Amino acid sequence: MTALAQLPFEQPSLLQAAPQLRALAARGTIHQIRTATGDPAWLVTGYEEVRRLLADPRLGRSHPDPGSAARTGESVLFGGPLGSYETEDADRARMRSLLQPHFAPGRMRALRPRVDVLAAGLLDGLARRDPPADLIEALAVPLPVLVICELLGVPYEDRDRFRAWTRAAADVRNRNRSEQGLADLFHYGRHLVARKREHPGNDVISRLCAAGRADDDEIAMLSMFVLFAGHETTAVAIGMGTLMLLTNPRQWQALRRDPGLVPAAVEEMLRAPGQGGGGIPRYARADLEISGVTVRAGDLILLDNGAANHDADAFPDPDRFDTTRQAASHLTFGHGARYCIGAPLARIELQTVFSQFIHRFPDMRLAVSVGELTVNTSVLTGGLTWLPVTW
Ligand code: HEM
């Protein structure tokens, strides 16, 4: 019997899928694999199946016996089952009903002028520097951090502390560090909620307090979850989007000539870089058939949205980065009942950044070769560790 493929698959280059993943995806849509912790799991790679299963109520994030469940890594939040098996659907519906009104598309559109000002400030700072500069440190991280701080009412000057905690919480290799990061973050959230109760502001935490639907612990938990979800992912997307454009200079120039192309280009920047080899974890809540394979209740299923985004049936010539492609049906924000609450915000941040950035730095280019770039493999969100650019 041949050994099962084990995550993480070796990726020869940042901009190419792992050959092992390609070979699996070419053979079919569901594959028996082992996770990085050596646990058995199913990896689903086809676009149609991933999309359908993301919306399938027979799959969940919780497990009836969490201690025995297969895991993807050591992170407390993302490495294994999450939440109560009995009340998962009701809990998620409650979480979404508390958060969604604050992140609705209309509200987010109203925020666009402010995001414009914050992005312009960072780009002014970049223009004043002598090149080269690290774009991750100068723009990709600070913009989403500034935006989510303002929105939630989290002091920006606390960023070094809470970033250290969110990064620790997302550590996929060290469970103690992940637990401690989460505890520190929650403690900080409790302290913020107490302050907002005394001195309310025009921000989401104060509004959650005023609404009177949740107690301090729940508000602290929700707001720290959003603080985490709201900046690391967007920072990764700005960094990878920039890299895709800088390695495709003709497309950079096309966007410069026609800023109207930016929204479509942002969708392609969200689709193209994530090559797959992991994905969104779920546990089967019942025995089910996936493409002729029987999956048992309790099994871990990884819905590989990166691989799905490179399925040639859904996106012809999927490895080509093409900013004019209709890419908005990508699964980067998930799909179905758990679709990303922050997608409208992330889209506004990305559209704002790239509209300004390309215009202000028409001759920007990479200051190192792509081979010298590295990604952060110890945290779940990944992303470039640095992106030196010159102009
Ligand atoms: C480019 C940036 C982003 C990406 C790629 C991203 C990706 C995702 C994905 C794939 C999911 C679904 C997870 C699942 O199905 O289990 C999700 C859920 C979520 N995202 Fe995002 N996200 C981004 C930005 C944001 C922002 C800015 C916020 C802040 C408001 C946010 C808040 C959330 C929340 C609260 C959920 C949980 C929804 C639920 O479980 O029902 N995300 N995100």
Short mmCIF file of all heavy atoms in Angstrom, two decimals, residues 92 95-96 99 103 225-226 229-230 233-234 237 270 280 282 332-334 337-338 340-342 345-346, ligand 1:
data_model
loop_
_atom_site.label_atom_id
_atom_site.label_comp_id
_atom_site.label_asym_id
_atom_site.label_seq_id
_atom_site.Cartn_x
_atom_site.Cartn_y
_atom_site.Cartn_z
N ARG A 92 -23.61 30.00 15.80
CA ARG A 92 -23.08 30.76 14.68
C ARG A 92 -24.10 31.80 14.21
O ARG A 92 -23.75 32.94 13.90
CB ARG A 92 -22.71 29.83 13.53
CG ARG A 92 -21.81 30.55 12.52
CD ARG A 92 -21.53 29.72 11.31
NE ARG A 92 -22.73 29.30 10.63
CZ ARG A 92 -23.22 28.07 10.62
NH1 ARG A 92 -22.58 27.11 11.23
NH2 ARG A 92 -24.34 27.79 9.99
N MET A 95 -23.80 34.67 16.54
CA MET A 95 -22.58 35.43 16.30
C MET A 95 -22.75 36.33 15.07
O MET A 95 -22.45 37.51 15.10
CB MET A 95 -21.42 34.44 16.10
CG MET A 95 -20.06 35.04 15.86
SD MET A 95 -19.68 35.28 14.12
CE MET A 95 -19.21 33.63 13.65
N ARG A 96 -23.31 35.74 14.01
CA ARG A 96 -23.45 36.51 12.77
C ARG A 96 -24.48 37.63 12.94
O ARG A 96 -24.29 38.73 12.42
CB ARG A 96 -23.82 35.60 11.60
CG ARG A 96 -22.71 34.63 11.24
CD ARG A 96 -23.02 33.83 10.00
NE ARG A 96 -22.96 34.64 8.79
CZ ARG A 96 -21.89 34.69 7.97
NH1 ARG A 96 -20.83 34.00 8.24
NH2 ARG A 96 -21.94 35.44 6.88
N LEU A 99 -22.74 40.47 14.72
CA LEU A 99 -21.65 41.17 14.02
C LEU A 99 -22.06 41.79 12.69
O LEU A 99 -21.63 42.89 12.35
CB LEU A 99 -20.49 40.19 13.76
CG LEU A 99 -19.59 39.84 14.93
CD1 LEU A 99 -18.48 38.90 14.46
CD2 LEU A 99 -18.96 41.10 15.54
N PHE A 103 -20.88 45.28 9.72
CA PHE A 103 -19.95 45.10 8.59
C PHE A 103 -20.71 44.97 7.27
O PHE A 103 -20.17 44.46 6.30
CB PHE A 103 -19.07 43.86 8.83
CG PHE A 103 -18.18 44.04 10.04
CD1 PHE A 103 -18.57 43.58 11.29
CD2 PHE A 103 -16.98 44.71 9.91
CE1 PHE A 103 -17.78 43.79 12.40
CE2 PHE A 103 -16.17 44.92 11.02
CZ PHE A 103 -16.57 44.45 12.26
N PHE A 225 -12.05 38.36 18.09
CA PHE A 225 -12.09 37.49 16.91
C PHE A 225 -12.03 38.36 15.64
O PHE A 225 -11.28 38.09 14.69
CB PHE A 225 -13.37 36.64 16.97
CG PHE A 225 -13.58 35.74 15.78
CD1 PHE A 225 -12.54 35.02 15.24
CD2 PHE A 225 -14.84 35.62 15.20
CE1 PHE A 225 -12.73 34.19 14.13
CE2 PHE A 225 -15.05 34.80 14.09
CZ PHE A 225 -13.98 34.09 13.56
N VAL A 226 -12.81 39.44 15.64
CA VAL A 226 -12.82 40.33 14.48
C VAL A 226 -11.47 41.05 14.34
O VAL A 226 -10.96 41.24 13.23
CB VAL A 226 -13.98 41.35 14.59
CG1 VAL A 226 -13.85 42.45 13.56
CG2 VAL A 226 -15.31 40.63 14.42
N ALA A 229 -9.38 38.36 12.74
CA ALA A 229 -9.80 38.03 11.36
C ALA A 229 -9.68 39.23 10.45
O ALA A 229 -9.50 39.09 9.25
CB ALA A 229 -11.24 37.53 11.37
N GLY A 230 -9.78 40.42 11.03
CA GLY A 230 -9.87 41.63 10.22
C GLY A 230 -8.55 42.22 9.80
O GLY A 230 -8.54 43.17 9.03
N THR A 233 -5.50 38.56 7.60
CA THR A 233 -5.89 38.07 6.27
C THR A 233 -5.76 39.16 5.21
O THR A 233 -5.28 38.91 4.11
CB THR A 233 -7.36 37.61 6.31
OG1 THR A 233 -8.09 38.59 7.04
CG2 THR A 233 -7.52 36.27 6.96
N THR A 234 -6.20 40.37 5.57
CA THR A 234 -6.16 41.46 4.58
C THR A 234 -4.71 41.87 4.30
O THR A 234 -4.35 42.18 3.16
CB THR A 234 -7.00 42.66 5.08
OG1 THR A 234 -8.26 42.15 5.54
CG2 THR A 234 -7.25 43.66 3.98
N ALA A 237 -3.38 39.52 1.85
CA ALA A 237 -3.92 39.76 0.51
C ALA A 237 -3.27 40.98 -0.15
O ALA A 237 -3.01 40.96 -1.36
CB ALA A 237 -5.44 39.94 0.59
N LEU A 270 -7.25 38.16 -5.31
CA LEU A 270 -7.73 37.29 -4.23
C LEU A 270 -7.72 35.83 -4.68
O LEU A 270 -7.46 34.93 -3.88
CB LEU A 270 -9.15 37.70 -3.80
CG LEU A 270 -9.23 38.99 -2.98
CD1 LEU A 270 -10.66 39.54 -2.97
CD2 LEU A 270 -8.75 38.76 -1.56
N ILE A 280 -10.16 25.04 4.17
CA ILE A 280 -11.08 25.33 5.27
C ILE A 280 -11.50 24.00 5.92
O ILE A 280 -12.01 23.12 5.24
CB ILE A 280 -12.31 26.10 4.73
CG1 ILE A 280 -11.83 27.40 4.04
CG2 ILE A 280 -13.31 26.36 5.82
CD1 ILE A 280 -12.93 28.17 3.34
N ARG A 282 -13.53 21.18 8.09
CA ARG A 282 -14.88 20.83 8.51
C ARG A 282 -14.86 19.41 9.05
O ARG A 282 -14.00 18.61 8.67
CB ARG A 282 -15.86 20.86 7.33
CG ARG A 282 -16.08 22.22 6.71
CD ARG A 282 -17.03 23.07 7.55
NE ARG A 282 -17.41 24.28 6.84
CZ ARG A 282 -16.80 25.46 7.00
NH1 ARG A 282 -15.80 25.59 7.85
NH2 ARG A 282 -17.21 26.51 6.33
N THR A 332 -12.17 32.38 -2.05
CA THR A 332 -11.21 32.89 -1.07
C THR A 332 -11.88 33.35 0.22
O THR A 332 -11.30 33.25 1.30
CB THR A 332 -10.38 34.03 -1.71
OG1 THR A 332 -9.85 33.53 -2.92
CG2 THR A 332 -9.26 34.51 -0.80
N PHE A 333 -13.12 33.86 0.12
CA PHE A 333 -13.86 34.27 1.33
C PHE A 333 -14.80 33.16 1.81
O PHE A 333 -15.68 33.42 2.63
CB PHE A 333 -14.69 35.51 1.04
CG PHE A 333 -13.89 36.77 0.81
CD1 PHE A 333 -13.99 37.48 -0.38
CD2 PHE A 333 -13.04 37.27 1.80
CE1 PHE A 333 -13.26 38.65 -0.58
CE2 PHE A 333 -12.31 38.45 1.60
CZ PHE A 333 -12.43 39.13 0.41
N GLY A 334 -14.63 31.94 1.30
CA GLY A 334 -15.54 30.87 1.67
C GLY A 334 -16.83 30.98 0.87
O GLY A 334 -16.89 31.65 -0.18
N ALA A 337 -23.15 29.48 4.56
CA ALA A 337 -23.56 30.04 5.85
C ALA A 337 -22.41 30.71 6.61
O ALA A 337 -22.64 31.56 7.47
CB ALA A 337 -24.17 28.94 6.72
N ARG A 338 -21.18 30.33 6.33
CA ARG A 338 -20.06 30.93 7.04
C ARG A 338 -19.28 31.93 6.19
O ARG A 338 -18.16 32.29 6.53
CB ARG A 338 -19.09 29.85 7.53
CG ARG A 338 -19.64 28.98 8.61
CD ARG A 338 -18.61 27.97 9.05
NE ARG A 338 -19.17 27.04 9.99
CZ ARG A 338 -19.96 26.02 9.67
NH1 ARG A 338 -20.28 25.81 8.40
NH2 ARG A 338 -20.43 25.23 10.60
N CYS A 340 -17.40 34.85 4.63
CA CYS A 340 -16.68 35.87 5.41
C CYS A 340 -17.51 37.14 5.64
O CYS A 340 -17.94 37.80 4.69
CB CYS A 340 -15.40 36.23 4.66
SG CYS A 340 -14.48 37.56 5.45
N ILE A 341 -17.68 37.48 6.91
CA ILE A 341 -18.42 38.68 7.27
C ILE A 341 -17.67 39.94 6.85
O ILE A 341 -18.26 40.97 6.55
CB ILE A 341 -18.68 38.68 8.81
CG1 ILE A 341 -19.73 37.62 9.14
CG2 ILE A 341 -19.10 40.05 9.32
CD1 ILE A 341 -20.03 37.47 10.63
N GLY A 342 -16.35 39.84 6.80
CA GLY A 342 -15.53 41.02 6.49
C GLY A 342 -15.22 41.20 5.02
O GLY A 342 -14.46 42.10 4.66
N LEU A 345 -15.54 44.71 3.64
CA LEU A 345 -14.48 45.58 4.15
C LEU A 345 -13.15 45.28 3.47
O LEU A 345 -12.44 46.19 3.01
CB LEU A 345 -14.35 45.40 5.67
CG LEU A 345 -13.19 46.15 6.33
CD1 LEU A 345 -13.33 47.66 6.12
CD2 LEU A 345 -13.12 45.85 7.83
N ALA A 346 -12.80 44.00 3.36
CA ALA A 346 -11.53 43.63 2.74
C ALA A 346 -11.50 44.13 1.29
O ALA A 346 -10.49 44.66 0.82
CB ALA A 346 -11.36 42.11 2.78
C1 HEM B 1 -8.68 39.24 2.31
C2 HEM B 1 -9.11 39.17 3.55
C3 HEM B 1 -9.94 38.06 4.11
C4 HEM B 1 -10.00 36.72 3.77
C5 HEM B 1 -9.21 36.02 2.67
C6 HEM B 1 -10.97 36.09 4.65
C7 HEM B 1 -11.33 34.76 4.56
C8 HEM B 1 -12.37 34.19 5.30
C9 HEM B 1 -12.89 32.84 5.09
C10 HEM B 1 -12.38 31.84 4.07
C11 HEM B 1 -13.90 32.66 5.98
C12 HEM B 1 -14.81 31.43 6.10
C13 HEM B 1 -14.30 30.42 7.08
C14 HEM B 1 -15.17 29.16 7.12
O1 HEM B 1 -15.94 28.88 6.21
O2 HEM B 1 -15.03 28.43 8.12
C15 HEM B 1 -14.00 33.87 6.78
C16 HEM B 1 -14.87 34.04 7.82
C17 HEM B 1 -14.91 35.18 8.61
N1 HEM B 1 -14.26 36.36 8.38
FE1 HEM B 1 -12.93 36.74 6.88
N2 HEM B 1 -11.46 37.02 5.51
C18 HEM B 1 -10.87 38.23 5.22
C19 HEM B 1 -11.11 39.45 5.84
C20 HEM B 1 -11.92 39.63 6.93
C21 HEM B 1 -12.13 40.89 7.60
C22 HEM B 1 -11.56 42.24 7.19
C23 HEM B 1 -12.95 40.63 8.66
C24 HEM B 1 -13.43 41.65 9.68
C25 HEM B 1 -14.57 42.09 9.79
C26 HEM B 1 -13.30 39.22 8.63
C27 HEM B 1 -14.14 38.55 9.51
C28 HEM B 1 -14.58 37.26 9.37
C29 HEM B 1 -15.50 36.62 10.30
C30 HEM B 1 -16.10 37.26 11.56
C31 HEM B 1 -15.71 35.32 9.81
C32 HEM B 1 -16.55 34.20 10.46
C33 HEM B 1 -17.85 33.98 9.78
C34 HEM B 1 -18.57 32.72 10.30
O3 HEM B 1 -17.95 31.82 10.87
O4 HEM B 1 -19.81 32.68 10.13
N3 HEM B 1 -12.65 38.64 7.57
N4 HEM B 1 -13.08 34.79 6.33
#
